[in-house]
Amino acid sequence: MLIPFRRLGTVPVDFELNRDNARFSGEIFLKKSNLAQLNGTITGSISIPCDICAEPIETPLNEEVSFYLSDGIYKGNEEEFDVVEIDTATIDMDELFRSEIELIRSDYYCCSNCEGKTLDAEF
């Protein structure tokens, strides 16, 4: 799903994307002339390998996400920390969804068989 920056206004635009068993939904609206705000939720589940034994773990999702999108290089105040710079003037919602899923995957996950073990204990 592609959303041109020039199409955004102060009235929120709703979005919903589905990938495998995960769903990303919410709204996006223009906060300033070249700065949009995205508020959404990622729900459902994804399969993530255990960091110790690599067995897949079906992990439930219920993540609130909120960040800003800048049309070009962000030159604003330091108060807006989570700013994604868009250099194509088009917001690729699929790419944002993939990025958020990868951010979730980058956390530490341990299956019930490996709870209490450490990675060092395996070597």
Side-chain angles (χ1 to χ4, degrees):
M1 169 186 255
L2 300 174
I3 300 174
F5 231 101
R6 68 179 184 278
R7 292 266 175 116
L8 293 177
T10 55
V11 175
V13 173
D14 294 330
F15 67 87
E16 181 179 323
L17 296 117
N18 293 292
R19 175 176 221 168
D20 299 325
N21 293 329
R23 178 177 177 247
F24 183 30
S25 61
E27 62 183 19
I28 185 170
F29 58 93
L30 203 57
K31 187 169 172 91
K32 297 179 186 174
S33 63
N34 68 336
L35 191 68
Q37 184 171 349
L38 182 144
N39 299 315
T41 307
I42 299 175
T43 57
S45 65
I46 56 174
S47 181
I48 299 175
C50 171
D51 284 326
I52 295 176
C53 71
E55 288 297 316
I57 306 166
E58 195 64 26
T59 306
L61 299 171
N62 189 14
E63 300 286 327
E64 297 289 326
V65 293
S66 182
F67 51 84
Y68 297 100
L69 299 144
S70 173
D71 187 9
I73 296 173
Y74 178 65
K75 297 177 183 173
N77 299 332
E78 294 299 316
E79 64 208 33
E80 285 113 11
F81 295 111
D82 292 331
V83 178
V84 176
E85 295 175 339
I86 307 295
D87 61 355
T88 60
T90 302
I91 301 165
D92 186 342
M93 297 301 293
D94 293 309
E95 181 61 30
L96 291 175
F97 189 17
R98 279 191 295 277
S99 295
E100 289 299 314
I101 292 294
E102 288 307 313
L103 186 60
I104 293 167
R105 287 182 190 276
S106 70
D107 204 353
Y108 181 81
Y109 291 93
C110 184
C111 71
S112 59
N113 293 332
C114 295
E115 282 181 9
K117 295 180 183 178
T118 63
L119 194 54
D120 294 335
E122 294 293 311
F123 296 104

